C-alpha cells in the first residue's frame, strides 16, 4: 500500500497546492518535503519522535507534514489560534522534541519551554532523499488533540493505516479524482480540514487551494470563478455564507447561484446541520449538502449518499469498512427502530490509542473492541439520526469540540470568580455557544472576563454569555445541575 506522501512524484507537474503566495506542483511539494526532512534529520530527528508544527494553512504546512512522515516521525499539528499555554500543554503531553514554525509565530514560540525551535525559513535546499526508515502502515503517524469529558485535551494517536482507511473510504464514496479542485477554509489540526480535505486531495493528485482565513465574500467569489469542484465545511460556515448572500441585491444573488454550477459536491460535517440551513443552502446555491458524521478518534463513519438520497436531519448510512451499532444504557445492542442509544464503531479508521493514557483508552472501548462515541442516535429505515451527546460537559461551537470542565478550571483562576459552571447553549449561527454561570463576590462583568481570558484560552472557548448567581443550583448530592443553568440563559 502506497501512503499519501510516498506518491507525490507520480503526479509531477499537476498543481498540488495554491496558497496566498502562489501555485506549487506535486514535484515542488515533494522536493520541499525532502529538504525539510533532511534538515530535521540533521537536527537529530528519529523514527517515532514527535514533531510539532505551527504553520499557517499554506504550502509549507503540507511539505512539513510529509517531511515528518518521510522520517517515520509523528506529526503534531498545533492550532494556530491557540495561546502559548495551550501549545505548551500539547508539547509537554506529547513529549515533543522539536517545533517547526512559520516566521509569523516567532514572537510566541520563543515563549515555549523545552522544545528545539526550527524556523521554516532556515531550511536549506538539499534535495537528496533522506534515508527512509523502515516504515509500515501500522506505525504511528499523527497525534490530534481533542477535548472530552476530562478537563485537559487528550492526544488521539493515529497510524498511517487508520488515516489511510478514512482517505480511501472518502475517495471512493465521494469519487475524488485528480481533476478535483477543493477550496480549503478549515483549520489543519483537526480531521475535517487535515484528512477529509487536504489528504484526500493529495492522495488522488487533486488541487487544494488554501484561503488564509475563512471569509464569506472571498469564498463566494472563488466559487464564481468556476474552478472549484468540491467544498466541505462545518454548518457555521454555511450559515455565514447564507448571511452574506442575504445581504446582496437580487441581481447579485442570482450571480452567486450561477457561480456554484461547476461544483460537483458540497459536504457538511463536524456538527449537526440544521434542516433550515440545508434547505436554504439548496435554494440559494442549487446544492443539496451531503451531511456526514465523524470523530477525531474514528475518522469518518457515517454519511449520506453521493448519488442517492441525502436525508434532511440524518447523518446517513455506514461508510465502507465501518461497522456501526447502537447500544442502550444497559449495554444491549438495539435491534428495534426508534429506540435511542449510543453509537459504537468498529473499523480500520479507528485510532490506536490516547497518547500515554492507557486507562482512558481502555475505558473508551467496550470489552469486545467497540469504540464508544458518546453520541446518542436512532436508526430509522437504515439511516442514522443523531439526537445529542451523553455528556453535558461537551460543547460543539463552530465545529470545535470544547470541554466545559477545561473552561471551568481556567475560570476558577480568575480572582473575582469563587465558583463557576460552564454549559453550551443553542445558537443558530455557532450551533452552541459557551455560557458561564458564576458566583462572584465582586460581580465580574462579561467584557472584563473576556479580556482576561484572551491569552489563556482559544477564542472559541471564551464565554459569550455570563450570568452571576448567589449560588449554583445543585442536586441533593451537591452536583451542579447544568440543565437548570441552561434554562437560566
Ligand atoms: C469565534 N467567535 C465566536 C466563536 N468563534 N463566537 C461565538 N462562538 C464561537 N465559537 C467570534 C470571535 O470572537 C469574533 O468576534 C467573531 O466571532 C469572528 O471570529 P473569527 O475567528 O474571525 O471567526 P471565523 O473566522 O468566522 O470562524 C468561524 C469558523 C471557525 C470559520 C467557523 O470557527 C472554524 O474554523 N471552525 C471549524 C472548526 C473545525 O474545523 N472543526 C472540525 C473538528 P468579534 O468579532 O466580536 O471579535 S471536528 C472533526 O474534525 C470531526 C472529525 C468531524 O466530524 O469533522
Ligand atoms: P471531534 O472530536 O472534534 O472530532 O468531534 C466529533 C463530534 O462531532 C462527534 O462525536 C459528534 O458529536 C459531532 N459531529 C460530527 N459530525 C456530526 C454531524 N453530522 N451531526 C452531529 N454531530 C456531529
Amino acid at each position: 500500500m502506497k501512503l499519501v506522501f510516498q506518491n507525490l512524484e507520480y503526479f509531477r507537474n499537476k498543481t498540488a497546492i495554491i496558497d496566498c503566495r502562489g501555485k506549487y506542483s506535486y514535484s515542488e511539494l515533494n522536493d520541499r518535503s525532502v529538504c525539510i526532512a533532511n534538515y530535521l534529520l540533521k537536527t537529530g530527528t528519529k523514527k517515532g519522535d514527535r514533531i510539532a508544527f505551527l504553520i499557517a494553512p499554506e504550502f509549507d504546512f503540507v511539505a512539513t507534514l510529509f517531511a515528518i512522515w518521510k522520517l517515520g516521525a509523528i506529526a503534531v499539528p498545533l492550532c494556530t489560534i491557540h495561546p502559548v499555554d495551550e501549545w505548551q500543554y500539547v508539547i509537554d503531553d506529547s513529549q515533543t522534541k522539536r517545533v517547526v514554525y512559520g516566521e509569523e509565530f516567532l514572537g510566541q514560540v520563543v515563549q515555549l519551554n523545552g522544545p528545539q525551535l526550527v524556523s521554516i525559513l532556515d531550511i536549506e535546499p538539499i534535495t537528496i532523499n533522506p534515508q527512509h526508515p523502515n516504515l509500515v502502515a501500522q506505525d504511528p503517524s499523527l497525534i490530534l488533540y481533542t477535548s472530552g469529558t476530562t478537563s485537559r485535551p487528550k492526544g488521539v494517536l493515529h497510524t498511517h493505516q487508520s488515516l489511510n482507511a478514512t482517505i480511501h473510504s472518502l475517495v471512493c464514496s465521494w469519487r475524488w479524482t485528480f481533476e478535483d479542485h477543493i477550496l480549503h477554509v478549515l483549520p489543519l489540526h483537526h480531521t475535517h480540514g487535515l484528512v477529509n480535505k487536504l489528504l484526500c486531495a493529495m492522495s488522488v493528485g487533486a488541487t487544494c487551494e488554501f484561503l488564509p482565513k475563512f471569509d464569506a465574500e472571498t469564498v463566494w467569489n472563488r466559487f464564481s470563478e468556476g474552478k472549484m469542484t468540491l467544498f466541505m465545511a462545518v454548518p457555521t460556515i454555511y450559515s455565514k455564507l447564507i448571511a452574506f448572500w442575504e445581504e446582496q441585491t437580487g441581481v447579485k444573488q442570482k450571480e452567486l447561484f450561477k457561480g456554484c454550477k461547476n461544483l460537483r459536491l458540497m459536504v457538511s460535517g463536524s456538527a449537526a446541520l440544521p434542516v433550515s440551513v440545508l434547505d436554504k443552502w439548496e435554494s440559494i446555491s442549487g446544492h443539496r449538502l451531503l451531511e456526514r458524521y465523524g470523530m477525531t478518534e474514528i475518522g469518518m463513519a457515517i454519511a449520506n449518499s453521493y448519488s442517492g438520497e441525502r436525508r434532511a436531519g440524518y447523518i446517513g448510512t455506514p461508510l465502507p469498512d465501518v461497522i456501526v451499532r447502537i447500544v442502550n444504557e444497559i449495554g444491549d445492542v438495539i435491534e428495534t427502530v426508534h429506540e435511542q442509544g449510543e453509537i459504537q464503531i468498529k473499523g480500520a479508521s479507528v485510532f490506536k490509542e490516547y497518547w500515554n493514557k492507557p486507562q482512558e483508552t481502555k475505558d473508551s472501548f467496550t470489552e469486545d473492541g467497540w469504540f464508544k462515541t458518546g453520541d446518542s442516535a436512532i436508526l430509522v429505515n437504515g439511516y442514522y439520526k443523531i439526537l445529542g451527546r451523553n455528556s453535558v460537559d461537551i460543547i460543539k461551537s463552530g465545529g470545535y469540540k470544547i470541554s466545559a470542565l477545561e473552561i471551568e478550571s481556567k475560570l476558577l483562576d480568575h480572582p473575582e470568580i469563587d465558583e463557576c459552571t460552564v454549559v453550551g447553549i443553542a445558537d443558530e449561527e455557532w450551533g452552541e455557544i459557551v455560557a458561564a454561570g458564576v458566583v462572584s463576590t465582586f460581580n465580574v462583568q462579561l467584557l472584563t472576563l473576556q479580556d482576561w481570558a484572551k491569552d489563556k484560552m482559544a477564542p472559541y472557548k471564551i464565554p459569550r454569555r455570563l450570568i452571576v448567581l448567589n449560588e449554583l443550583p445543585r442536586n441533593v448530592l451537591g452536583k451542579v445541575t447544568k440543565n437548570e443553568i441552561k434554562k437560566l440563559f
Side-chain angles (χ1 to χ4, degrees), residues 342-406:
E342 182 187 52
I343 298 187
Q344 299 189 348
I345 302 283
K346 265 190 188 181
S349 64
V350 175
F351 75 129
K352 183 177 162 69
E353 62 195 30
Y354 292 117
W355 181 258
N356 261 341
K357 292 191 168 45
Q359 192 55 46
E360 282 88 339
T361 305
K362 189 162 176 265
D363 293 346
S364 67
F365 287 88
T366 63
E367 273 173 16
D368 51 351
W370 292 84
F371 178 73
K372 302 187 273 185
T373 62
D375 289 311
S376 178
I378 50 168
L379 180 65
V380 183
N381 299 333
Y383 272 62
Y384 289 88
K385 182 179 182 65
I386 298 276
L387 298 177
R389 280 179 302 269
N390 294 348
S391 169
V392 281
D393 289 322
I394 294 176
I395 302 168
K396 263 269 160 161
S397 188
Y400 284 111
K401 192 179 196 183
I402 301 168
S403 160
L405 304 181
E406 184 187 353

Side-chain angles (χ1 to χ4, degrees), residues 247-364:
E247 287 162 8
Q248 309 307 308
T249 61
V251 175
K252 179 75 183 168
Q253 288 177 344
K254 282 193 187 118
E255 271 173 42
L256 295 179
F257 180 92
K258 278 193 205 142
C260 295
K261 71 175 187 309
N262 285 350
L263 281 130
R264 66 171 184 87
L265 175 65
M266 297 182 120
V267 179
S268 172
S270 304
L273 174 67
V275 174
S276 57
V277 175
L278 174 88
D279 288 343
K280 184 73 189 176
W281 186 256
E282 189 168 11
S283 73
I284 69 170
S285 71
H287 286 270
R288 187 164 181 83
L289 294 172
L290 186 161
E291 182 173 11
R292 57 63 184 173
Y293 163 87
M295 195 172 178
T296 308
E297 287 88 335
I298 60 172
M300 293 301 114
I302 301 175
N304 274 280
S305 167
Y306 179 76
S307 51
E309 187 190 2
R310 297 184 190 167
R311 197 179 294 176
Y314 287 77
I315 52 171
T317 59
L319 280 161
D321 302 326
V322 178
I323 320 175
V324 180
R325 68 178 194 181
I326 300 186
V327 174
N328 67 17
E329 274 173 8
I330 53 166
D332 291 338
V333 178
I334 291 171
E335 309 285 356
T336 48
V337 172
H338 289 302
E339 196 187 335
Q340 179 173 349
E342 182 187 52
I343 298 187
Q344 299 189 348
I345 302 283
K346 265 190 188 181
S349 64
V350 175
F351 75 129
K352 183 177 162 69
E353 62 195 30
Y354 292 117
W355 181 258
N356 261 341
K357 292 191 168 45
Q359 192 55 46
E360 282 88 339
T361 305
K362 189 162 176 265
D363 293 346
S364 67

Side-chain angles (χ1 to χ4, degrees), residues 187 191-192 213 240 270 292 294-295 396-399 430 464:
T191 305
H192 196 162
K213 189 178 178 332
K240 285 173 178 272
S270 304
R292 57 63 184 173
M295 195 172 178
K396 263 269 160 161
S397 188
W430 297 97
R464 305 285 151 178

